[in-house]
Amino acid sequence: MAALPRWLRQPSLPDWPLYPLGFIPAIWLFVQAVTDNLGADPAKALERGLGEWALRLIILGLAITPLRQVAGINWVRYRRAIGLLAFFYVLLHLITYMVLDQGLDWTAIGADILRRPYITIGMLGFLLLLPLALTSTNAMIRRLGGARWRRLHRLVYPAAFAGAAHYLLLVKSWPLEPIIYAAIIVALLAWRLVPVGKAGGRAERA
Amino acid sequence: MLIRRGPDIKASEITPKEIYLSRRHLLGGMAGAGLIAGLGGKADAAPLTAGKSAFSTDEAPTSLKDITSYNNFYEFGTDKSEPARNAHRLTTSPWTVKVDGMVAKPTTFALEDLLKPAKLEERIYRMRCVEGWSMVIPWVGFPLADLLARVEPLGSAKYVAFETALRPEEMTGVGGFFKVLDWPYREGLRLDEALHPLTLLAVGLYGETLPNQNGAPLRLVVPWKYGFKGIKSIVRITLTDKEPQTSWNMQAPQEYGFYSNVNPDVDHPRWSQATERRIGEGGLFAKRRPTLPFNGYADQVAGLYAGMDLRKFY
């Protein structure tokens, strides 16, 4: 393979700037919503926008391993920041649903979670991400031990699947956007199932 | 505490109404005289004269901006902002509407002929979308019953079927690999629903001809049913003795029934219909409000469904 520039293959930039950068879309969406620039139903648009950013970040996080295996691009050092940002976007999406969409009507929220499959699945996805966010620190990795920590963090696979299904189940008919998100997520998950060639064995997969 | 910035004011909104209306009159007159033939049918909004109606609600109408920028018109894209961007491609003049089937006088009307005898009224109706939001829209139109009377339905007619134009060369959303709906868009009413005085054929809103994204030049408005029953840009009306196929029912029969009356007690299988958000009311922090049976028109229309199990006939 033609050699990619080193700054791309093995970037040396630290990961901390990703956190402030990663929140720019959320802040931008919120400012747009408050200043009435998010269309006729700003609460819905904010909720949808945050959810879509969560899916994009999950996709980015899932793409890191295949990128390394296929293109030799090693961005593993940014994966924690991407994963945590995805979690925060899911959390903001959930808060928007509870506060702005449902007005903290706990009866309606409870009924939604129990009776609406897309909300049940969405909540499930959030609950699956919760332990991953809580064990994202170096101290927790050490405490759990690498192998156990890696096993635990495979929960991101069902969580990503739940995110894709959540989006597909809430729309009417079959518009393109949720289908595209679902297709990418399914492809990235399927990648984990097929054995790679000699370059990288199954053991290398994460 | 939030300090809200006022909306950006466009120059067009500063122009006094009389002046821009007269400008449109002038354009309209020029078009009529064939002076601007080059514009070829993309009719600009023209003012309409309409009487008041006792059927109008006194609730505050939703803003023209929201009504014309937040639309479900899947022929022009599935995102609610897309119809406002894409529907200008639809040629609405000339326009013909074929009224046929079980009628004594089947007729293909040029739109002008269809409208000539119509007594236009402003009807300010609530509109409840099946997705859980609502608006208040000042329609301009005339009762569907008036048109049906002109073609004289036969005694055998039990239903009315409607069809939207299908023009792949003008409609950006009807092609593609995934067909969102089986085009053309189809809707239907029972004949007694169609003849009900609330049932409107709308040709305008806010005192002017319909913007394309709202279903120009002619659309159905059935205020006690979910919004998707209000079929847009109608080209065909057929009287029949069989329950017509309707697009959303064909797409997902367990989710969208033929009747689709607004009913807070019968949930959509995937979401609750108990509440709705009124568009434009409170912006980001708008509260949901309870949805009313038959969208608040129960006094006028509940009798149409006496004895029917509304859970079964959803």
Side-chain angles (χ1 to χ4, degrees):
Chain A
M1 181 177 297
L4 292 163
R6 189 180 162 75
W7 61 264
L8 187 65
R9 272 185 296 120
Q10 201 84 44
S12 54
L13 289 168
D15 71 337
W16 64 262
L18 285 179
Y19 293 97
L21 278 175
F23 279 107
I24 288 173
I27 293 164
W28 179 241
L29 278 170
F30 191 75
V31 168
Q32 294 267 87
V34 172
T35 55
D36 199 15
N37 284 303
L38 222 47
D41 196 347
K44 205 90 224 166
L46 178 65
E47 187 179 73
R48 181 72 65 100
L50 291 168
E52 285 178 349
W53 274 104
L55 283 172
R56 286 175 201 138
L57 288 160
I58 284 172
I59 286 172
L60 194 60
L62 287 175
I64 284 182
T65 293
L67 266 181
R68 194 184 66 226
Q69 290 167 338
V70 172
I73 294 172
N74 190 348
W75 286 4
V76 168
R77 66 182 306 172
Y78 304 120
R79 191 164 57 187
R80 166 161 46 192
I82 292 166
L84 272 171
L85 282 167
F87 171 77
F88 285 128
Y89 272 86
V90 171
L91 183 64
L92 287 171
H93 171 72
L94 178 63
I95 290 171
T96 305
Y97 159 73
M98 288 180 164
V99 178
L100 295 178
D101 192 346
Q102 296 298 330
L104 291 177
D105 179 343
W106 296 108
T107 323
I109 293 169
D112 263 359
I113 293 171
L114 292 177
R115 284 161 52 196
R116 315 286 161 212
Y118 83 89
I119 294 181
T120 315
I121 290 175
M123 275 306 291
L124 186 73
F126 170 73
L127 292 177
L128 289 168
L129 288 178
L130 196 56
L132 310 195
L134 294 174
T135 58
S136 62
T137 58
N138 288 337
M140 281 307 287
I141 297 173
R142 273 194 301 275
R143 242 174 84 183
L144 284 169
R148 264 206 299 167
W149 185 89
R150 264 199 300 279
R151 232 183 0 258
L152 175 69
H153 278 245
R154 283 191 194 129
L155 284 179
V156 73
Y157 303 150
F161 190 79
H166 172 66
Y167 195 2
L168 265 182
L169 281 174
L170 76 91
V171 292
K172 293 193 302 181
S173 182
W174 299 98
L176 208 53
E177 259 204 321
I179 295 176
I180 293 172
Y181 281 102
I184 296 173
I185 286 176
V186 166
L188 287 168
L189 294 182
W191 177 264
R192 271 76 186 174
L193 297 174
V194 278
V196 231
K198 29 198 171 1
R202 284 191 68 92
E204 250 192 70
R205 294 169 166 268
Chain B
M1 188 182 142
L2 284 161
I3 298 165
R4 206 173 297 240
R5 198 161 54 85
D8 295 324
I9 297 171
K10 282 185 268 174
S12 62
E13 288 162 358
I14 296 169
T15 312
K17 183 101 176 168
E18 300 75 19
I19 293 179
Y20 76 74
L21 286 186
S22 67
R23 209 187 279 155
R24 279 169 178 174
H25 259 308
L26 184 64
L27 282 170
M30 286 159 77
L35 292 175
I36 39 173
L39 286 182
K42 263 101 190 176
D44 201 353
L48 296 166
T49 317
K52 299 267 174 250
S53 165
F55 287 124
S56 288
T57 170
D58 52 12
E59 289 162 88
T62 306
S63 74
L64 179 64
K65 179 176 170 244
D66 284 346
I67 294 173
T68 56
S69 63
Y70 197 69
N71 307 97
N72 279 322
F73 195 171
Y74 279 20
E75 283 86 338
F76 296 100
T78 52
D79 190 276
K80 279 185 265 297
S81 63
E82 285 180 288
R85 285 204 302 274
N86 298 330
H88 66 90
R89 297 160 193 261
L90 182 69
T91 310
T92 57
S93 173
W95 192 271
T96 56
V97 182
K98 185 176 182 181
V99 188
D100 63 354
M102 296 177 163
V103 293
K105 296 179 176 169
T107 314
T108 299
F109 292 97
L111 186 70
E112 309 78 71
D113 300 332
L114 191 148
L115 295 182
K116 218 170 279 163
K119 284 187 287 291
L120 295 184
E121 284 177 36
E122 182 179 66
R123 299 269 185 105
I124 308 172
Y125 281 164
R126 290 176 290 277
M127 200 281 290
R128 168 63 156 81
C129 179
V130 74
E131 296 166 351
W133 51 268
S134 63
M135 292 184 178
V136 175
I137 305 179
W139 300 109
V140 177
F142 61 97
L144 171 62
D146 291 358
L147 174 65
L148 295 181
R150 287 162 69 188
V151 294
E152 297 173 15
L154 302 177
S156 49
K158 297 280 179 289
Y159 295 93
V160 185
F162 304 85
E163 211 176 283
T164 296
L166 175 57
R167 305 213 189 120
E169 65 285 1
E170 296 182 355
M171 294 171 156
T172 45
V174 299
F177 184 68
F178 291 102
K179 278 232 169 103
V180 249
L181 290 169
D182 187 359
W183 312 111
Y185 195 83
R186 276 158 272 195
E187 259 308 334
L189 294 173
R190 226 168 50 190
L191 185 58
D192 57 344
E193 298 175 322
L195 294 175
H196 193 280
L198 279 173
T199 305
L200 196 71
L201 279 175
V203 293
L205 60 84
Y206 266 111
E208 297 188 344
T209 50
L210 281 176
N212 284 3
Q213 62 268 34
N214 296 87
L218 182 76
R219 66 164 294 163
L220 182 68
V221 179
V222 195
W224 71 93
K225 292 175 180 281
Y226 291 117
F228 67 84
K229 294 291 289 183
I231 185 170
K232 299 183 175 84
S233 306
I234 297 169
V235 291
R236 190 170 182 193
I237 300 174
T238 307
L239 283 94
T240 159
D241 57 355
K242 286 179 200 63
E243 186 180 286
Q245 285 194 305
T246 60
S247 289
W248 279 104
N249 179 253
M250 292 157 73
Q251 213 277 331
Q254 70 290 353
E255 298 190 347
Y256 311 99
F258 172 77
Y259 286 93
S260 289
N261 294 317
V262 175
N263 190 340
D265 301 323
V266 177
D267 285 342
H268 186 283
R270 291 180 287 142
W271 56 82
S272 165
Q273 295 292 25
T275 60
E276 66 200 51
R277 195 169 21 240
R278 180 63 57 80
I279 297 300
E281 185 186 72
L284 180 58
F285 304 98
K287 286 263 179 302
R288 288 183 163 271
R289 53 164 71 207
T291 290
L292 302 173
F294 299 106
N295 201 21
Y297 297 95
D299 286 350
Q300 291 98 319
V301 301
L304 293 171
Y305 311 99
M308 281 174 71
D309 180 356
L310 296 177
R311 293 193 168 275
K312 191 166 164 228
F313 298 99
Y314 55 91

